[in-house]
């Protein structure tokens, strides 16, 4: 097995992917600027896998820092998670998001080209399906966005498509994920955001553990079974294993390939809350508030392509995802 660089490697999805790649036999190098994660995650990965992990505190906009990583390690492929990812913040700070996510990815691709590293698996997002496509989402639908964060994903996908056209040796598998939740079964790593969480499940977890008073549910008048937004929630370890399958595929195929990673089933906000209540055995206080601008009623994947091309499908159900999240929260009430 080769050596891979995981950017954003101490973040939520990056750290779980690191475990999956180590378990699959890859040598892993982690890179993160620690803007929304902690270096402790690297130590936790070592505890879980029993393998040493080489970690670099480097920003993807730091060309010399990345050159040093490539000089010191024969990198065969890059699994690219690094980026700012809060939708609301992207509306407030669009230039920061464009400069970091798009500018940083261009610099990363330039360093990869310098060292003739021609394989990337990209962390993209279901947000690229915009608000006009019908569910379930299929990879050949037109892509667009409703906020600057989403547009960074749309543009990075286009950049990779163009790089593949310009360089016939380049391969890019673009993974459009839906809503990753859960945690590693050990409870040692999980979703560990700095500050107040932006995502539903870590917010629910902090209410359950008593750190936050109640959950705000944004709207209950959507055209869904219970009026709350419906999303395709996927266990983060299922998602991590999807990246291993994607890299195996990329090593054998050149060109640009977008692939959904989801369960193909939508769950409402209230269904998630009830599953979490079952996991933590307590009631989650909540209030219904105004809808958020840009939120759509329903989003879920058609995961057929992932099964056909990668031989991958999600296996964990919503109750298992919530149980794993609660185990991590109980063991790490103040994060890691």
């Amino acid at each position: 097995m080769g050596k891979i660089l995981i950017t954003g490697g101490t973040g939520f999805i990056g750290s779980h992917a690191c475990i999956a790649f180590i378990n699959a036999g890859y040598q892993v190098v982690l890179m993160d600027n620690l803007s929304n994660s902690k270096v402790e995650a690297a130590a936790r990965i070592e505890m879980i896998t029993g393998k040493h992990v080489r970690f670099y505190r480097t920003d993807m906009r730091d060309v010399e820092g990345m050159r040093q990583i490539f000089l010191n390690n024969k990198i065969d492929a890059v699994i690219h998670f690094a980026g700012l990812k809060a939708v609301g913040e992207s509306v407030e700070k669009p230039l920061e998001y464009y400069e970091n996510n798009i500018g940083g990815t261009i610099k990363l691709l330039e360093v990869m080209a310098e060292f003739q590293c021609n394989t990337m698996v990209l962390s993209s997002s279901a947000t690229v399906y915009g608000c006009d496509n019908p569910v379930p989402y299929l990879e050949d639908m037109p892509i667009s966005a409703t906020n600057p964060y989403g547009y960074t994903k749309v543009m990075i996908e286009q950049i990779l498509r163009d790089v593949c056209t310009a360089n016939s040796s380049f391969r890019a598998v673009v993974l459009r994920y839906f809503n990753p939740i859960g945690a590693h079964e050990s409870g040692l790593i999980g979703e560990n955001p700095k500050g107040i969480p932006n995502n539903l499940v870590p917010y629910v977890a902090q209410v359950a553990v008593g750190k936050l008073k109640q959950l705000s549910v944004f709207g209950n008048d959507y055209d869904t079974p219970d009026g709350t937004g419906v999303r395709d929630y996927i266990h983060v370890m299922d998602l991590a294993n999807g990246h291993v399958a994607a890299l195996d595929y990329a090593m054998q195929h050149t060109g640009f390939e977008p692939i959904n990673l989801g369960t193909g089933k939508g769950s409402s906000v209230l269904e998630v809350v009830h599953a979490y209540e079952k996991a933590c055995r307590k009631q989650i206080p909540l209030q219904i508030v105004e809808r958020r601008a840009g939120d759509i009623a329903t989003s879920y994947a058609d995961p057929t392509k992932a099964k056909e091309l990668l031989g991958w499908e999600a296996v964990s159900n919503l109750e298992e995802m919530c149980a794993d999240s609660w185990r991590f929260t109980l063991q790490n009430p103040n994060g890691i």
Side-chain angles (χ1 to χ4, degrees), residues 204 272-286:
V204 171
V272 174
V273 171
H274 296 326
Y276 213 97
E277 288 175 333
K278 189 171 178 184
C280 69
R281 297 181 183 169
K282 57 179 82 172
Q283 191 172 2
I284 304 293
L286 58 83

Side-chain angles (χ1 to χ4, degrees), residues 203-283:
Y203 203 104
V204 171
Q206 292 203 7
V207 174
V209 86
K211 290 187 75 175
L212 295 170
K213 193 172 76 167
Q214 64 182 9
L215 172 71
S216 295
V217 176
F218 298 103
N220 65 346
D221 57 351
Y222 287 103
D223 183 16
T224 61
D226 63 21
T228 62
V230 168
R231 298 291 182 268
D232 187 337
Y233 294 94
I234 175 173
H235 196 295
V236 66
M237 284 308 300
D238 281 341
L239 191 71
N241 291 326
H243 288 74
V244 177
L247 182 58
D248 292 347
Y249 177 86
M251 292 297 197
Q252 298 166 55
H253 301 83
T254 56
F256 177 89
E257 199 68 70
I259 301 175
N260 289 336
L261 291 186
T263 64
K265 175 185 180 297
S267 301
S268 74
V269 171
L270 293 182
E271 284 178 308
V272 174
V273 171
H274 296 326
Y276 213 97
E277 288 175 333
K278 189 171 178 184
C280 69
R281 297 181 183 169
K282 57 179 82 172
Q283 191 172 2

Side-chain angles (χ1 to χ4, degrees), residues 2-3 5 27 35 52 60 68 88 98 102 161-162 179 187 190 204 208 210 212 216 236 242 258 281 289 294 298:
K3 185 177 279 192
L5 172 64
Q27 287 181 276
S35 66
H52 172 66
M60 61 178 166
Q68 288 304 312
Y98 290 127
I102 298 173
R161 198 184 290 270
D162 294 339
N179 292 66
V204 171
L212 295 170
S216 295
V236 66
R281 297 181 183 169
V289 297
T298 305

Side-chain angles (χ1 to χ4, degrees), residues 52-70:
H52 172 66
V53 173
R54 187 172 285 187
F55 171 75
Y56 292 85
R57 183 172 185 173
T58 305
D59 191 292
M60 61 178 166
R61 294 165 298 178
D62 174 4
V63 170
E64 278 310 311
M66 288 194 294
R67 276 202 185 111
Q68 288 304 312
I69 295 173
F70 279 79

